[in-house]
Amino acid sequence: MIAPDTGRRAAEGERRSEVAEPTVTLSRSGSVGVITIDNPPVNALSQEVRIGLLSALEQAELDPTLVGGVLRCAGRTFVAGADITEMDAPPSEPTLPTVADAFERSRLCWVAAMHGTALGGGLELALACCGRVAEPGTRVGMPEVTLGIIPGAGGTVRLTSLIGAEAAARLVTTGKQIDAVESRQIGLIDVIAEDAHAASLEIAGSGGRAIETSPTPRAPKPEFWDQESIRVREKARGQESPIEALAAIREAATLPRAEALQAERRRFLRLRESEQAKALRHVFFAERKAGASLRNVPKAADLQRVGVVGGGTMGSSIATAVLISGTAVTLVEQDDAATARARNLIETNLKASAKRGVISSVEPVLARLSVCTALSDLEECPLVIEAVFEDMAIKTALFKALDDVLPATAVLATNTSYLDVRELARSVRDPSRVLGLHFFAPAHVMKLLEVVRLPQTSDPALAAGSALARQLRKTAVVTGVCEGFIGNRIMAAYRRNAEEMLLRGAQPETIDAAMRDYGFAAGIFETQDLSGLDIAWAMRKRRRLEGKDPAIATISDALCEVERLGRKTMGGWYDYVDGRQVSSPETARLIAEFRDGAGITPRVYTAAEIVNSILAAMSREAEAILREGIAEGPDDIDVVMIVGFGFPRYRGGPMYIARKAQ
Ligand code: T1G
């Protein structure tokens, strides 16, 4: 006897009881069989679920009174894909293609009732059904490429025949999610309904007759494949899976169906074992574990309003990020002219965000901003972030003033990149209310947030930082206090190593090219040219004066001394001709002069030597950071470098590489 369907979905966060309940159940609603997957948190298709699905399907097939079926999920989401934790072991039976084929071949018309996110294997199951219904907030996608693989259960083939090769290629090569409206427009889903379950029951009860058959999508123009191949290769920067995904879509569009299905599975199985896929799985879990200690403190309530002091580039950008998240901001600047400038900067940031589709319109977001000139106006802010000039005297004076006017419960955060947060904390009566929140520029774009924890930082202060990260949807990593924290400190080691190689014979363009070819978004020298060489120069001079660095001039200093400060002076490590970056004979001459002065005979560096040398320097610094207890674990370091500094995700991060080599 098949039990009646209650149509009930477990509430968000509701866990299954301790008694082992089946992850897949079959119930009935009139003449419709209802298969429910209940495998929290994201209904991943573990082996147990696959076994359950086949068995429920078989049982439904045997019931002559059923005319159709609904495939649905309990909890917060439809199936978010295969179970990634199973991917380090060989595939286990029954495989997902077997399950998907069984749904497709079923005598019953199965309708997938989707909510939350229908991703990867989840979407592949839905594609094997004869109809798809989604609730308005549903997002769908094929994120396999982000895990170094391609869909492996017929996804490329079924998607291509349903929505055409062009739309399928976009989805599968990028891994991007799309919403219900777009899915409906491209024919990926049939119906959007507030109650997907009820709508699916109706369709399945009609044996699928209610589904309009979509027209066969047109084939792409012949030149599509070459153009798409160039686009995908450029974006992939050495990552294999997007290129393989396009190849699979091409086969889906051109080979007989059975052959295309087999070819897809072969590609999938090969990629599943690849080094890139292993590294990407490592990063997937490392990102989700990042900032572990933030999760160990009692959760703080959502912040309704955040204070920002300082409306320069960074302060405005932080305020923009907070506003976009839906939270109100009180921004304090010195006078009316400065507040007006800050408001303008924020408005410009918001306009750019609207252009990128991050927000739909500027006005309602800007309406959440209050600007003022008195620190006492921050009294309603449980968290205040200072982003004033990077100078200890200015910051300590500000913290003292904040300490005087704000309630004792307010948390004080500094956005300093290099100053000693401990010294800053000493300027207030209760240093436990102080922490660092190190944003990366531009703060409303970059996903990384280093949460700087002092020995005395209280749990509530840490919880406020954690709440902010959660609200801003940032990847937060906890760091102790040291010069440059985790990320900038490792990048400083990279930079020193790269400059050392310049001295020994390499050129900026060969080093940058080697690192770009390795998969970095950009080389270190071109990045320095973009941000300007003078900031680091000023810092070096200060550190030398303070006796923190040896008084040895660097090639960087030599460039700065002749006003080669980067793009803004039309020349730095490179020359800039009509905005185009080209090798600089002047820089080459300065390097050669420096080299001669040091009595070094130049040697040739291969790309592999350059990469190995820089990776070794990064991992040496990372090991020191771990030894000193600055980072909470090696995975956090990988996350910082990947999310914040353009380290190629598919390489797994500097610690992953170093540990693998051991
Ligand atoms: N497998 C195993 N665990 C998973 C998982 C998965 N697919 N997805 C999430 N988790 C865990 C995650 O580690 C975390 O655990 C918890 O669930 C909540 O996740 C054949 C082979 C669905 C958008 O790539 O994108 O199908 O930390 O913190 O922010 O072609 O999770 O609590 O212990 O991310 O609300 C394709 C991956 C697989 C989707 C929810 N699918 N997941 O985001 O929560 S490959 C994916 C996500 C595939 C087939 C191929 C997100 C989410 P813990 P979370 P969230």
Side-chain angles (χ1 to χ4, degrees):
M1 253 281 283
I2 303 173
D5 166 42
T6 62
R8 181 181 164 277
R9 204 149 77 196
E12 174 78 21
E14 192 175 324
R15 292 267 160 178
R16 295 175 32 228
S17 70
E18 289 306 310
V19 191
E21 287 172 31
T23 50
V24 180
T25 48
L26 173 66
S27 54
R28 67 178 306 144
S29 175
S31 57
V32 178
V34 178
I35 293 182
T36 303
I37 303 174
D38 184 7
N39 185 27
V42 298
N43 289 312
L45 294 165
S46 63
Q47 184 183 29
E48 187 189 335
V49 171
R50 299 194 304 274
I51 292 172
L53 282 172
L54 274 191
S55 135
L57 185 60
E58 211 171 292
Q59 215 186 324
E61 298 260 9
L62 289 174
D63 186 335
T65 64
L66 294 183
V67 299
V70 170
L71 175 64
R72 64 188 283 276
C73 287
R76 61 164 144 143
T77 179
F78 192 75
V79 174
D83 187 337
I84 302 168
T85 59
E86 288 183 358
M87 286 193 200
D88 285 328
S92 55
E93 299 289 337
T95 63
L96 197 55
T98 307
V99 180
D101 288 350
F103 272 93
E104 192 174 62
R105 281 199 317 267
S106 173
R107 73 171 176 86
L108 302 171
C109 163
W110 288 94
V111 179
M114 302 186 277
H115 70 286
T117 40
L119 302 175
L123 185 56
E124 289 182 293
L125 264 190
L127 286 167
C129 291
C130 67
R132 282 152 296 282
V133 176
E135 291 182 1
T138 310
R139 299 185 66 80
V140 306
M142 291 287 191
E144 283 87 345
V145 287
T146 63
L147 290 165
I149 52 178
I150 63 163
T156 61
V157 175
R158 292 192 180 99
L159 198 60
T160 303
S161 62
L162 189 66
I163 64 172
E166 288 180 53
R170 271 293 135 129
L171 275 184
V172 181
T173 61
T174 61
K176 289 229 165 74
Q177 294 177 10
I178 55 171
D179 61 19
V181 173
E182 194 176 345
S183 307
R184 175 76 191 83
Q185 273 161 5
I186 62 171
L188 179 45
I189 61 169
D190 305 293
V191 176
I192 300 177
E194 287 293 337
D195 184 343
H197 183 46
S200 301
L201 281 176
E202 207 168 297
I203 297 171
S206 76
R209 277 187 300 279
I211 303 171
E212 285 172 43
T213 41
S214 39
T216 312
R218 63 180 175 79
K221 295 200 176 80
E223 61 271 23
F224 167 76
W225 298 109
D226 286 343
Q227 285 167 357
E228 193 66 357
S229 167
I230 293 168
R231 190 188 67 79
V232 170
R233 247 169 230 285
E234 256 173 28
K235 274 210 85 188
R237 281 203 222 105
Q239 190 181 333
E240 245 185 312
S241 54
I243 298 160
E244 294 281 329
L246 184 64
I249 299 287
R250 189 170 192 168
E251 284 165 349
T254 50
L255 291 182
R257 192 171 195 271
E259 272 177 52
L261 283 169
Q262 275 173 12
E264 178 204 77
R265 187 70 185 165
R266 273 197 305 275
R267 274 183 206 281
F268 164 78
L269 289 173
R270 184 177 66 72
L271 288 170
R272 191 178 182 276
E273 308 300 318
S274 68
E275 289 305 317
Q276 292 192 358
K278 284 181 195 157
L280 285 164
R281 290 200 282 273
H282 156 75
V283 180
F284 178 87
F285 290 113
E287 272 184 319
R288 280 159 182 81
K289 276 197 323 205
S293 61
L294 294 179
R295 249 165 281 145
N296 297 337
V297 292
K299 195 173 158 189
D302 277 359
L303 303 159
Q304 303 299 326
R305 179 174 288 276
V306 170
V308 177
V309 185
T313 314
M314 201 59 193
S316 299
S317 176
I318 293 171
T320 308
V322 178
L323 292 169
I324 288 175
S325 79
T327 307
V329 171
T330 302
L331 185 140
V332 177
E333 254 297 353
Q334 273 173 334
D335 50 40
D336 291 342
T339 53
R341 266 198 308 275
R343 180 184 274 280
N344 276 340
L345 278 176
I346 293 170
E347 194 170 350
T348 308
N349 290 342
L350 289 175
K351 281 183 182 154
S353 303
K355 231 179 179 167
R356 287 188 293 122
V358 178
I359 50 172
S360 44
S361 66
V362 171
E363 288 70 30
V365 183
L366 197 58
R368 290 193 277 270
L369 172 71
S370 319
V371 289
C372 45
T373 52
L375 291 177
S376 52
D377 287 334
L378 294 166
E379 65 185 1
E380 274 173 43
C381 303
L383 170 70
V384 174
I385 307 165
E386 76 72 22
V388 298
F389 192 67
E390 193 76 341
D391 178 277
M392 186 56 92
I394 295 176
K395 290 198 196 258
T396 14
L398 172 63
F399 261 41
K400 276 204 175 88
L402 287 171
D403 199 30
D404 286 340
V405 298
L406 295 185
T409 49
V411 174
L412 303 182
T414 169
N415 176 54
T416 183
S417 298
Y418 289 99
L419 299 178
D420 190 335
V421 187
R422 286 166 301 200
E423 195 178 329
L424 206 51
R426 280 195 287 274
S427 64
V428 300
R429 277 169 292 226
D430 174 15
S432 77
R433 57 148 73 178
V434 174
L435 83 166
L437 290 174
H438 185 216
F439 287 84
F440 292 81
H444 57 290
V445 177
M446 297 291 287
K447 293 278 300 171
L448 182 67
L449 178 66
E450 284 181 330
V451 177
V452 187
R453 178 187 204 166
L454 304 164
Q456 62 272 53
T457 301
S458 68
D459 279 0
L462 211 54
S466 173
L468 184 74
R470 186 176 70 232
Q471 284 170 242
L472 303 192
R473 308 193 121 260
K474 300 260 184 235
T475 305
V477 165
V478 176
T479 164
V481 182
C482 67
E483 175 103 12
F485 310 121
I486 299 174
N488 280 332
R489 179 166 159 187
I490 293 177
M491 286 310 281
Y494 170 173
R495 198 196 61 242
R496 282 194 302 273
N497 189 269
E499 282 203 35
E500 178 70 27
M501 283 190 277
L502 289 186
L503 203 57
R504 309 215 161 271
Q507 292 297 331
E509 49 274 28
T510 46
I511 295 179
D512 280 355
M515 298 311 280
R516 270 196 316 268
D517 287 348
Y518 182 72
F520 270 85
I524 190 117
F525 296 113
E526 55 199 6
T527 306
Q528 283 179 38
D529 271 4
L530 201 61
S531 47
L533 272 59
D534 43 340
I535 299 165
W537 187 35
M539 197 171 67
R540 283 196 301 277
K541 285 196 282 195
R542 171 176 61 79
R543 288 180 58 81
R544 284 172 196 150
L545 274 179
E546 291 168 0
K548 287 184 183 160
D549 275 351
I552 303 167
T554 63
I555 302 174
S556 253
D557 297 335
L559 289 184
C560 291
E561 265 149 28
V562 295
E563 289 285 309
R564 293 188 65 88
L565 304 178
R567 273 187 184 262
K568 60 181 164 192
T569 56
M570 303 306 284
W573 293 105
Y574 294 87
D575 283 344
Y576 295 90
V577 182
D578 302 329
R580 234 170 8 94
Q581 170 185 308
V582 293
S583 302
S584 165
E586 171 70 359
T587 299
R589 193 186 57 74
L590 283 169
I591 295 173
E593 236 175 63
F594 219 85
R595 217 179 262 150
D596 290 346
I600 294 169
T601 316
R603 49 160 292 209
V604 173
Y605 278 88
T606 64
E609 276 177 307
I610 290 168
V611 169
N612 288 338
S613 173
I614 288 172
L615 289 182
M618 290 174 99
S619 68
R620 267 196 308 276
E621 197 65 38
E623 291 289 358
I625 284 173
L626 273 181
R627 268 197 313 278
E628 293 165 24
I630 301 292
E632 298 196 303
D635 293 359
D636 274 7
I637 297 181
D638 287 339
V639 169
V640 166
M641 300 321 292
I642 288 167
V643 180
F645 293 88
F647 196 101
R649 179 174 284 263
Y650 66 87
R651 304 275 187 191
M655 295 310 291
Y656 176 78
I657 294 166
R659 303 269 151 119
K660 206 173 59 165
Q662 276 167 10

